[in-house]
Amino acid sequence: MSARPFVGVGGTPRALAPGVELSEVVAPNPLWASNGLAFGPDGRLWIAQFLGGTVSAFDVDTGELEPVLGPGGPLTAPDDLAFADDGSCLVVDLPPGLVWRRAPDGTLAVLADGIIAPDGIATWRGRLFVNELAPDGRLLEILAEGRWRELAGGLALGNAMAVGPDGRLVYPHLMGGEVWAVDPDGGSPERLLEGLDRPVAVRFDTAGRMLVLSNADGSVLVDGAERVGTGVVGADNLAVGPDGTWWITGAFTGGLVALHPDGARRQVLPPGLCGPFGLASPDGRLVAADHHTLAELVDGAVRAHEVGVHGLRGLAAVGSELVATTEAGEVRCGSVGGRWGRRAAGLDRPCGLVAAGGEVLVAESGSGRVVRVGHAGEVDPVVSGLGQPTDLAVTDGEVWVSDAGRGQVLRASDGLVAAAGLARPEGLVAHRGALYVVEAAAGRLTRVDPRTRTTRPVVGDLPLASLPAHVPAHGSGTGAMAQRPAPYAALTVHDDGLVVGLTGTGGALRARE
C-alpha cells in the first residue's frame, strides 16, 4: 500500500546527531481522513479526501491505493464524487464552491461554480445533481454551461444523496435529522424520516433498500427499521459494491470498512491521525488534537474521541485539564472523552499554548501577539508586535515563543532571540533545560540552547505537509461551513522523549537523545 501523497518536505526521518534514537509512535495513515466514495468504471473504489485535497482510487482486490487527483491542486477540498455515463469523475470541491469534471483521459474542467458549499452529488440518466452543506441549503440540478435549476430549498446541511428505485432523489438534512425525497422532474419535496441523529449519507442497496448512515454513531438504518453498526468514528459516506458489500468511510479518522452481505466486518484500510494538529502529555498519557477528534495514542493505536468541537489545533495540559485552540478562534477546555467548554472566543488564528504560573498563554498568530486567557474568558496581551507566533514553551521560569513569520525563537519577557534563521519554526517545547523546535519548512527537529543561543539539528527529513499555494490558509470561498485547515507541526515531551507529529503521513515519531 502506498503512502498518502502530500505537498511539503521530508520523507524518511533520520537522526542528525550522535546518540539520537528514533521510534514510531503511530503508523502513517494511508488516507487524509476519508469522505465521499464511488465505484468507477475501472472497478476501483474512488475516495475523496477533504483534508488532503486528494482523490485516490483503491483496488479492492489488490489493496493498491493510487492518487488520481491532488494533492497539489487544482482541487481545494473534495468532499464527494460520482461518475457520469461516459466514465467521467464528477467531484464537488466544497470551500471554493466548485463542481469539477475529470474526463476519462485525465483532463480537468470546472462544470459549475458559485455554489454554496457543494457537498452531496448524484448522477442519473445523464443528469447531475448537487446539494449544499449550508443551514439553508439547496438541491440543484446542474445544467449546461454551468447553470443550475433549484429542486428544493431549506436543507439543514445537505450531504450524500442517491436516486431511489422510484426515480426520486433522496437526501439527508444532516443537522435537521431528517431524510427527504423529491422528484427531479418537479413537485414538492416529501419528508421520509425524522428524528435521526446526524444522517450523513443516503444510499440504496442491490435489493433497493434505503440505507441511511449516521455520522454520530456510525450505524446504518435499513429501510427506516433495522439498525446495523459499523464501528466507524465520524462515519461520512457509504458505497454499495456489485456483490452487495457496504463500504464505509470515516471523515474524522480515515480508514475504510467493508461490511459483507454475510455480516462479516473487515477493516480494509486502517484509521489513524488526520494531522495531528496538536500534542500534549497529561498525566503521562499521549494525546493528539486531530481537527475533528481528541485522540489517545496508546501502544501504536489511535483511540479517537469526539468531544463536540471541530477544528482542534494547539493542545496543552494544565494540571488535570486539557486546553486547546480551534480554527474558529476559540480556546476550549475539557478532558479526554468528555465534552469541552469554551473559555475564550474571538482570537485571531490561535495556535500553540502553554501553562505558565497557573495561567494559560496562547500564541495568537494572526495578530502577532501572545495573550493571557483567564478562567472567566478575559484575554489580555502579554507580548505584541511579533511576526507569526505559533507555539510557546517555559524553561527556568521564562516563556519562549516560536515565531514562524520571522524564523525565530525568542524570549517573551524582553524579545531576546535565542535562535534566528529558522525555516518556519512551529512546535516548541522545553526539555532538560533546552528548547526544541520543529522547523516545518525544512522537515527538521532542532535543539536550541537558550543560554548560549546556539542551535543543533537533531532529526531531519521529517515528512511535514503544507497547504498548496492555491489554498487559503484559513479559508474563504462561498460561505462554506467547512474549511481545509493548515497543517501544524506539533511537538510534545512524553516518556522522556520528544514526540513529533508527522503531518505529511499522519504518523508520529519519538526521538530520544
Side-chain angles (χ1 to χ4, degrees), residues 189-232:
E190 177 190 358
R191 183 168 56 201
L192 304 180
L193 296 171
E194 59 184 328
L196 306 179
D197 194 357
R198 295 191 341 233
V200 72
V202 178
R203 296 289 184 247
F204 291 88
D205 68 9
T206 52
R209 299 181 303 172
M210 184 170 67
L211 312 176
V212 181
L213 179 66
S214 169
N215 175 255
D217 63 10
S219 67
V220 177
L221 183 64
V222 182
D223 265 351
E226 177 190 7
R227 194 171 289 278
V228 179
T230 68
V232 177

mmCIF file of all heavy atoms in Angstrom, residues 189-232:
data_model
loop_
_atom_site.group_PDB
_atom_site.id
_atom_site.type_symbol
_atom_site.label_atom_id
_atom_site.label_comp_id
_atom_site.label_asym_id
_atom_site.label_seq_id
_atom_site.Cartn_x
_atom_site.Cartn_y
_atom_site.Cartn_z
ATOM 1 N N PRO A 189 -41.016 18.530 -2.274
ATOM 2 C CA PRO A 189 -40.251 17.536 -1.518
ATOM 3 C C PRO A 189 -41.133 16.862 -0.465
ATOM 4 O O PRO A 189 -42.057 17.468 0.078
ATOM 5 C CB PRO A 189 -39.139 18.361 -0.869
ATOM 6 C CG PRO A 189 -39.047 19.615 -1.683
ATOM 7 C CD PRO A 189 -40.438 19.887 -2.156
ATOM 8 N N GLU A 190 -40.823 15.606 -0.156
ATOM 9 C CA GLU A 190 -41.555 14.845 0.840
ATOM 10 C C GLU A 190 -40.587 14.366 1.926
ATOM 11 O O GLU A 190 -39.533 13.807 1.616
ATOM 12 C CB GLU A 190 -42.237 13.633 0.205
ATOM 13 C CG GLU A 190 -42.967 12.747 1.215
ATOM 14 C CD GLU A 190 -43.423 11.427 0.618
ATOM 15 O OE1 GLU A 190 -43.204 11.209 -0.593
ATOM 16 O OE2 GLU A 190 -43.989 10.605 1.377
ATOM 17 N N ARG A 191 -40.946 14.572 3.175
ATOM 18 C CA ARG A 191 -40.129 14.071 4.271
ATOM 19 C C ARG A 191 -40.407 12.588 4.488
ATOM 20 O O ARG A 191 -41.540 12.179 4.694
ATOM 21 C CB ARG A 191 -40.408 14.852 5.551
ATOM 22 C CG ARG A 191 -39.512 14.423 6.724
ATOM 23 C CD ARG A 191 -39.608 15.395 7.886
ATOM 24 N NE ARG A 191 -40.994 15.546 8.323
ATOM 25 C CZ ARG A 191 -41.447 16.587 9.025
ATOM 26 N NH1 ARG A 191 -40.615 17.582 9.349
ATOM 27 N NH2 ARG A 191 -42.710 16.655 9.389
ATOM 28 N N LEU A 192 -39.343 11.782 4.458
ATOM 29 C CA LEU A 192 -39.475 10.347 4.635
ATOM 30 C C LEU A 192 -39.189 9.896 6.059
ATOM 31 O O LEU A 192 -39.838 8.987 6.565
ATOM 32 C CB LEU A 192 -38.534 9.607 3.677
ATOM 33 C CG LEU A 192 -38.664 9.913 2.188
ATOM 34 C CD1 LEU A 192 -37.666 9.087 1.394
ATOM 35 C CD2 LEU A 192 -40.084 9.668 1.708
ATOM 36 N N LEU A 193 -38.173 10.507 6.703
ATOM 37 C CA LEU A 193 -37.773 10.127 8.047
ATOM 38 C C LEU A 193 -37.448 11.372 8.849
ATOM 39 O O LEU A 193 -36.989 12.383 8.296
ATOM 40 C CB LEU A 193 -36.539 9.210 8.015
ATOM 41 C CG LEU A 193 -36.673 7.842 7.348
ATOM 42 C CD1 LEU A 193 -35.299 7.191 7.213
ATOM 43 C CD2 LEU A 193 -37.620 6.943 8.127
ATOM 44 N N GLU A 194 -37.643 11.317 10.148
ATOM 45 C CA GLU A 194 -37.276 12.417 11.028
ATOM 46 C C GLU A 194 -36.781 11.847 12.357
ATOM 47 O O GLU A 194 -36.896 10.645 12.617
ATOM 48 C CB GLU A 194 -38.459 13.354 11.266
ATOM 49 C CG GLU A 194 -39.666 12.691 11.877
ATOM 50 C CD GLU A 194 -40.838 13.662 11.998
ATOM 51 O OE1 GLU A 194 -40.596 14.860 12.204
ATOM 52 O OE2 GLU A 194 -41.993 13.195 11.905
ATOM 53 N N GLY A 195 -36.197 12.727 13.186
ATOM 54 C CA GLY A 195 -35.720 12.303 14.489
ATOM 55 C C GLY A 195 -34.447 11.489 14.449
ATOM 56 O O GLY A 195 -34.132 10.773 15.406
ATOM 57 N N LEU A 196 -33.675 11.598 13.365
ATOM 58 C CA LEU A 196 -32.424 10.859 13.245
ATOM 59 C C LEU A 196 -31.273 11.673 13.838
ATOM 60 O O LEU A 196 -31.370 12.888 14.007
ATOM 61 C CB LEU A 196 -32.136 10.539 11.770
ATOM 62 C CG LEU A 196 -33.252 9.807 11.008
ATOM 63 C CD1 LEU A 196 -32.833 9.583 9.563
ATOM 64 C CD2 LEU A 196 -33.585 8.494 11.678
ATOM 65 N N ASP A 197 -30.181 10.985 14.152
ATOM 66 C CA ASP A 197 -29.011 11.639 14.734
ATOM 67 C C ASP A 197 -27.932 11.786 13.663
ATOM 68 O O ASP A 197 -27.267 10.836 13.295
ATOM 69 C CB ASP A 197 -28.480 10.813 15.916
ATOM 70 C CG ASP A 197 -27.490 11.593 16.777
ATOM 71 O OD1 ASP A 197 -27.173 12.744 16.428
ATOM 72 O OD2 ASP A 197 -27.027 11.037 17.799
ATOM 73 N N ARG A 198 -27.823 12.977 13.119
ATOM 74 C CA ARG A 198 -26.833 13.355 12.114
ATOM 75 C C ARG A 198 -26.767 12.373 10.933
ATOM 76 O O ARG A 198 -25.748 11.763 10.660
ATOM 77 C CB ARG A 198 -25.444 13.508 12.747
ATOM 78 C CG ARG A 198 -25.400 14.655 13.725
ATOM 79 C CD ARG A 198 -24.077 15.098 14.236
ATOM 80 N NE ARG A 198 -22.947 14.250 14.152
ATOM 81 C CZ ARG A 198 -22.167 13.928 15.212
ATOM 82 N NH1 ARG A 198 -22.476 14.358 16.426
ATOM 83 N NH2 ARG A 198 -21.092 13.203 15.063
ATOM 84 N N PRO A 199 -27.864 12.233 10.202
ATOM 85 C CA PRO A 199 -27.820 11.405 8.987
ATOM 86 C C PRO A 199 -26.913 12.066 7.953
ATOM 87 O O PRO A 199 -27.149 13.201 7.548
ATOM 88 C CB PRO A 199 -29.278 11.375 8.527
ATOM 89 C CG PRO A 199 -29.864 12.658 9.069
ATOM 90 C CD PRO A 199 -29.177 12.888 10.377
ATOM 91 N N VAL A 200 -25.877 11.364 7.525
ATOM 92 C CA VAL A 200 -24.849 11.981 6.688
ATOM 93 C C VAL A 200 -24.856 11.463 5.253
ATOM 94 O O VAL A 200 -24.321 12.107 4.361
ATOM 95 C CB VAL A 200 -23.462 11.778 7.339
ATOM 96 C CG1 VAL A 200 -23.006 10.328 7.240
ATOM 97 C CG2 VAL A 200 -22.424 12.723 6.754
ATOM 98 N N ALA A 201 -25.466 10.301 5.028
ATOM 99 C CA ALA A 201 -25.471 9.743 3.671
ATOM 100 C C ALA A 201 -26.688 8.855 3.476
ATOM 101 O O ALA A 201 -27.098 8.134 4.392
ATOM 102 C CB ALA A 201 -24.195 8.940 3.412
ATOM 103 N N VAL A 202 -27.255 8.911 2.271
ATOM 104 C CA VAL A 202 -28.355 8.037 1.875
ATOM 105 C C VAL A 202 -27.906 7.244 0.655
ATOM 106 O O VAL A 202 -27.426 7.821 -0.325
ATOM 107 C CB VAL A 202 -29.633 8.826 1.547
ATOM 108 C CG1 VAL A 202 -30.741 7.876 1.084
ATOM 109 C CG2 VAL A 202 -30.098 9.633 2.747
ATOM 110 N N ARG A 203 -28.062 5.939 0.723
ATOM 111 C CA ARG A 203 -27.734 5.063 -0.399
ATOM 112 C C ARG A 203 -28.827 3.997 -0.526
ATOM 113 O O ARG A 203 -29.672 3.842 0.356
ATOM 114 C CB ARG A 203 -26.369 4.392 -0.181
ATOM 115 C CG ARG A 203 -25.195 5.365 -0.140
ATOM 116 C CD ARG A 203 -24.919 5.934 -1.510
ATOM 117 N NE ARG A 203 -23.732 6.797 -1.520
ATOM 118 C CZ ARG A 203 -23.760 8.093 -1.719
ATOM 119 N NH1 ARG A 203 -24.926 8.707 -1.887
ATOM 120 N NH2 ARG A 203 -22.635 8.793 -1.766
ATOM 121 N N PHE A 204 -28.785 3.226 -1.607
ATOM 122 C CA PHE A 204 -29.707 2.109 -1.812
ATOM 123 C C PHE A 204 -28.897 0.870 -2.146
ATOM 124 O O PHE A 204 -27.928 0.938 -2.914
ATOM 125 C CB PHE A 204 -30.704 2.433 -2.927
ATOM 126 C CG PHE A 204 -31.680 3.516 -2.548
ATOM 127 C CD1 PHE A 204 -31.366 4.852 -2.755
ATOM 128 C CD2 PHE A 204 -32.887 3.205 -1.945
ATOM 129 C CE1 PHE A 204 -32.237 5.861 -2.377
ATOM 130 C CE2 PHE A 204 -33.773 4.198 -1.565
ATOM 131 C CZ PHE A 204 -33.443 5.535 -1.779
ATOM 132 N N ASP A 205 -29.269 -0.261 -1.529
ATOM 133 C CA ASP A 205 -28.514 -1.486 -1.783
ATOM 134 C C ASP A 205 -29.035 -2.186 -3.029
ATOM 135 O O ASP A 205 -29.940 -1.686 -3.718
ATOM 136 C CB ASP A 205 -28.510 -2.396 -0.549
ATOM 137 C CG ASP A 205 -29.882 -2.987 -0.218
ATOM 138 O OD1 ASP A 205 -30.826 -2.851 -1.033
ATOM 139 O OD2 ASP A 205 -30.006 -3.604 0.857
ATOM 140 N N THR A 206 -28.457 -3.336 -3.326
ATOM 141 C CA THR A 206 -28.806 -4.042 -4.562
ATOM 142 C C THR A 206 -30.243 -4.558 -4.551
ATOM 143 O O THR A 206 -30.787 -4.876 -5.609
ATOM 144 C CB THR A 206 -27.834 -5.218 -4.767
ATOM 145 O OG1 THR A 206 -27.779 -6.021 -3.571
ATOM 146 C CG2 THR A 206 -26.418 -4.708 -5.057
ATOM 147 N N ALA A 207 -30.860 -4.619 -3.359
ATOM 148 C CA ALA A 207 -32.270 -5.032 -3.259
ATOM 149 C C ALA A 207 -33.214 -3.840 -3.237
ATOM 150 O O ALA A 207 -34.435 -4.024 -3.105
ATOM 151 C CB ALA A 207 -32.473 -5.881 -2.003
ATOM 152 N N GLY A 208 -32.666 -2.625 -3.354
ATOM 153 C CA GLY A 208 -33.494 -1.427 -3.357
ATOM 154 C C GLY A 208 -33.825 -0.897 -1.985
ATOM 155 O O GLY A 208 -34.629 0.039 -1.852
ATOM 156 N N ARG A 209 -33.219 -1.451 -0.938
ATOM 157 C CA ARG A 209 -33.479 -0.962 0.413
ATOM 158 C C ARG A 209 -32.721 0.345 0.660
ATOM 159 O O ARG A 209 -31.591 0.513 0.212
ATOM 160 C CB ARG A 209 -33.063 -1.996 1.455
ATOM 161 C CG ARG A 209 -33.801 -3.322 1.369
ATOM 162 C CD ARG A 209 -33.335 -4.267 2.468
ATOM 163 N NE ARG A 209 -31.892 -4.499 2.415
ATOM 164 C CZ ARG A 209 -31.196 -5.153 3.347
ATOM 165 N NH1 ARG A 209 -31.830 -5.623 4.424
ATOM 166 N NH2 ARG A 209 -29.890 -5.328 3.227
ATOM 167 N N MET A 210 -33.360 1.273 1.382
ATOM 168 C CA MET A 210 -32.725 2.558 1.681
ATOM 169 C C MET A 210 -31.800 2.410 2.882
ATOM 170 O O MET A 210 -32.187 1.891 3.938
ATOM 171 C CB MET A 210 -33.782 3.627 1.968
ATOM 172 C CG MET A 210 -33.184 5.014 2.201
ATOM 173 S SD MET A 210 -34.429 6.328 2.267
ATOM 174 C CE MET A 210 -35.292 5.903 3.793
ATOM 175 N N LEU A 211 -30.578 2.881 2.728
ATOM 176 C CA LEU A 211 -29.564 2.837 3.776
ATOM 177 C C LEU A 211 -29.234 4.269 4.188
ATOM 178 O O LEU A 211 -28.868 5.083 3.344
ATOM 179 C CB LEU A 211 -28.295 2.146 3.274
ATOM 180 C CG LEU A 211 -28.473 0.807 2.542
ATOM 181 C CD1 LEU A 211 -27.130 0.310 2.027
ATOM 182 C CD2 LEU A 211 -29.130 -0.221 3.463
ATOM 183 N N VAL A 212 -29.373 4.578 5.480
ATOM 184 C CA VAL A 212 -29.066 5.914 5.991
ATOM 185 C C VAL A 212 -27.943 5.788 7.015
ATOM 186 O O VAL A 212 -28.106 5.142 8.059
ATOM 187 C CB VAL A 212 -30.303 6.571 6.636
ATOM 188 C CG1 VAL A 212 -29.954 7.971 7.136
ATOM 189 C CG2 VAL A 212 -31.456 6.639 5.634
ATOM 190 N N LEU A 213 -26.816 6.409 6.707
ATOM 191 C CA LEU A 213 -25.632 6.345 7.563
ATOM 192 C C LEU A 213 -25.644 7.497 8.553
ATOM 193 O O LEU A 213 -25.916 8.649 8.188
ATOM 194 C CB LEU A 213 -24.371 6.407 6.701
ATOM 195 C CG LEU A 213 -23.016 6.380 7.419
ATOM 196 C CD1 LEU A 213 -22.791 5.035 8.107
ATOM 197 C CD2 LEU A 213 -21.888 6.669 6.429
ATOM 198 N N SER A 214 -25.313 7.202 9.829
ATOM 199 C CA SER A 214 -25.257 8.222 10.870
ATOM 200 C C SER A 214 -23.816 8.636 11.126
ATOM 201 O O SER A 214 -22.958 7.791 11.392
ATOM 202 C CB SER A 214 -25.870 7.700 12.178
ATOM 203 O OG SER A 214 -25.585 8.587 13.250
ATOM 204 N N ASN A 215 -23.561 9.933 11.071
ATOM 205 C CA ASN A 215 -22.250 10.466 11.425
ATOM 206 C C ASN A 215 -22.022 10.433 12.929
ATOM 207 O O ASN A 215 -20.879 10.471 13.398
ATOM 208 C CB ASN A 215 -22.136 11.909 10.905
ATOM 209 C CG ASN A 215 -20.873 12.602 11.327
ATOM 210 O OD1 ASN A 215 -20.900 13.461 12.210
ATOM 211 N ND2 ASN A 215 -19.755 12.250 10.709
ATOM 212 N N ALA A 216 -23.091 10.323 13.691
ATOM 213 C CA ALA A 216 -22.995 10.376 15.153
ATOM 214 C C ALA A 216 -22.468 9.080 15.747
ATOM 215 O O ALA A 216 -21.575 9.083 16.593
ATOM 216 C CB ALA A 216 -24.348 10.725 15.761
ATOM 217 N N ASP A 217 -23.022 7.945 15.313
ATOM 218 C CA ASP A 217 -22.603 6.670 15.906
ATOM 219 C C ASP A 217 -22.134 5.658 14.877
ATOM 220 O O ASP A 217 -21.802 4.512 15.242
ATOM 221 C CB ASP A 217 -23.723 6.068 16.758
ATOM 222 C CG ASP A 217 -24.975 5.722 15.952
ATOM 223 O OD1 ASP A 217 -24.935 5.760 14.710
ATOM 224 O OD2 ASP A 217 -26.005 5.410 16.579
ATOM 225 N N GLY A 218 -22.109 6.034 13.610
ATOM 226 C CA GLY A 218 -21.614 5.139 12.575
ATOM 227 C C GLY A 218 -22.568 4.034 12.176
ATOM 228 O O GLY A 218 -22.214 3.148 11.389
ATOM 229 N N SER A 219 -23.795 4.062 12.673
ATOM 230 C CA SER A 219 -24.747 2.999 12.341
ATOM 231 C C SER A 219 -25.418 3.272 11.002
ATOM 232 O O SER A 219 -25.450 4.401 10.502
ATOM 233 C CB SER A 219 -25.805 2.872 13.426
ATOM 234 O OG SER A 219 -26.625 4.028 13.464
ATOM 235 N N VAL A 220 -25.967 2.209 10.416
ATOM 236 C CA VAL A 220 -26.736 2.296 9.172
ATOM 237 C C VAL A 220 -28.172 1.878 9.476
ATOM 238 O O VAL A 220 -28.411 0.779 9.993
ATOM 239 C CB VAL A 220 -26.141 1.400 8.076
ATOM 240 C CG1 VAL A 220 -26.997 1.462 6.812
ATOM 241 C CG2 VAL A 220 -24.704 1.800 7.769
ATOM 242 N N LEU A 221 -29.106 2.766 9.161
ATOM 243 C CA LEU A 221 -30.530 2.475 9.328
ATOM 244 C C LEU A 221 -31.052 1.911 8.005
ATOM 245 O O LEU A 221 -30.965 2.562 6.960
ATOM 246 C CB LEU A 221 -31.287 3.750 9.707
ATOM 247 C CG LEU A 221 -32.782 3.609 9.981
ATOM 248 C CD1 LEU A 221 -33.040 2.715 11.195
ATOM 249 C CD2 LEU A 221 -33.412 4.986 10.186
ATOM 250 N N VAL A 222 -31.585 0.691 8.051
ATOM 251 C CA VAL A 222 -32.030 -0.009 6.845
ATOM 252 C C VAL A 222 -33.540 0.093 6.728
ATOM 253 O O VAL A 222 -34.282 -0.378 7.598
ATOM 254 C CB VAL A 222 -31.598 -1.487 6.882
ATOM 255 C CG1 VAL A 222 -32.026 -2.199 5.596
ATOM 256 C CG2 VAL A 222 -30.096 -1.603 7.093
ATOM 257 N N ASP A 223 -33.998 0.760 5.658
ATOM 258 C CA ASP A 223 -35.429 0.921 5.393
ATOM 259 C C ASP A 223 -36.198 1.477 6.591
ATOM 260 O O ASP A 223 -37.357 1.108 6.835
ATOM 261 C CB ASP A 223 -36.049 -0.410 4.949
ATOM 262 C CG ASP A 223 -36.103 -0.527 3.427
ATOM 263 O OD1 ASP A 223 -35.821 0.478 2.742
ATOM 264 O OD2 ASP A 223 -36.422 -1.616 2.925
ATOM 265 N N GLY A 224 -35.525 2.356 7.361
ATOM 266 C CA GLY A 224 -36.186 3.020 8.473
ATOM 267 C C GLY A 224 -36.479 2.132 9.657
ATOM 268 O O GLY A 224 -37.170 2.557 10.589
ATOM 269 N N ALA A 225 -35.941 0.905 9.672
ATOM 270 C CA ALA A 225 -36.298 -0.030 10.743
ATOM 271 C C ALA A 225 -35.060 -0.625 11.411
ATOM 272 O O ALA A 225 -34.678 -0.237 12.503
ATOM 273 C CB ALA A 225 -37.186 -1.138 10.170
ATOM 274 N N GLU A 226 -34.379 -1.539 10.756
ATOM 275 C CA GLU A 226 -33.222 -2.231 11.333
ATOM 276 C C GLU A 226 -32.001 -1.308 11.365
ATOM 277 O O GLU A 226 -31.739 -0.563 10.420
ATOM 278 C CB GLU A 226 -32.904 -3.477 10.493
ATOM 279 C CG GLU A 226 -31.682 -4.242 10.959
ATOM 280 C CD GLU A 226 -31.257 -5.309 9.965
ATOM 281 O OE1 GLU A 226 -31.832 -5.366 8.861
ATOM 282 O OE2 GLU A 226 -30.319 -6.064 10.296
ATOM 283 N N ARG A 227 -31.231 -1.391 12.457
ATOM 284 C CA ARG A 227 -30.019 -0.582 12.580
ATOM 285 C C ARG A 227 -28.806 -1.507 12.668
ATOM 286 O O ARG A 227 -28.772 -2.433 13.485
ATOM 287 C CB ARG A 227 -30.091 0.326 13.806
ATOM 288 C CG ARG A 227 -29.040 1.426 13.817
ATOM 289 C CD ARG A 227 -29.296 2.426 14.940
ATOM 290 N NE ARG A 227 -30.466 3.254 14.696
ATOM 291 C CZ ARG A 227 -30.479 4.334 13.939
ATOM 292 N NH1 ARG A 227 -29.375 4.709 13.307
ATOM 293 N NH2 ARG A 227 -31.580 5.040 13.795
ATOM 294 N N VAL A 228 -27.790 -1.221 11.837
ATOM 295 C CA VAL A 228 -26.582 -2.039 11.762
ATOM 296 C C VAL A 228 -25.378 -1.183 12.125
ATOM 297 O O VAL A 228 -25.166 -0.119 11.538
ATOM 298 C CB VAL A 228 -26.401 -2.640 10.350
ATOM 299 C CG1 VAL A 228 -25.119 -3.468 10.275
ATOM 300 C CG2 VAL A 228 -27.609 -3.472 9.961
ATOM 301 N N GLY A 229 -24.586 -1.622 13.081
ATOM 302 C CA GLY A 229 -23.398 -0.883 13.473
ATOM 303 C C GLY A 229 -22.238 -1.116 12.530
ATOM 304 O O GLY A 229 -22.098 -2.201 11.941
ATOM 305 N N THR A 230 -21.387 -0.080 12.386
ATOM 306 C CA THR A 230 -20.195 -0.211 11.538
ATOM 307 C C THR A 230 -18.906 -0.029 12.321
ATOM 308 O O THR A 230 -17.844 -0.430 11.855
ATOM 309 C CB THR A 230 -20.207 0.835 10.401
ATOM 310 O OG1 THR A 230 -20.030 2.153 10.949
ATOM 311 C CG2 THR A 230 -21.514 0.782 9.619
ATOM 312 N N GLY A 231 -18.976 0.613 13.478
ATOM 313 C CA GLY A 231 -17.777 0.859 14.262
ATOM 314 C C GLY A 231 -16.905 1.965 13.739
ATOM 315 O O GLY A 231 -15.757 2.116 14.190
ATOM 316 N N VAL A 232 -17.390 2.784 12.822
ATOM 317 C CA VAL A 232 -16.592 3.865 12.232
ATOM 318 C C VAL A 232 -16.843 5.158 13.005
ATOM 319 O O VAL A 232 -17.985 5.605 13.126
ATOM 320 C CB VAL A 232 -16.933 4.054 10.743
ATOM 321 C CG1 VAL A 232 -16.143 5.228 10.164
ATOM 322 C CG2 VAL A 232 -16.641 2.777 9.968
#
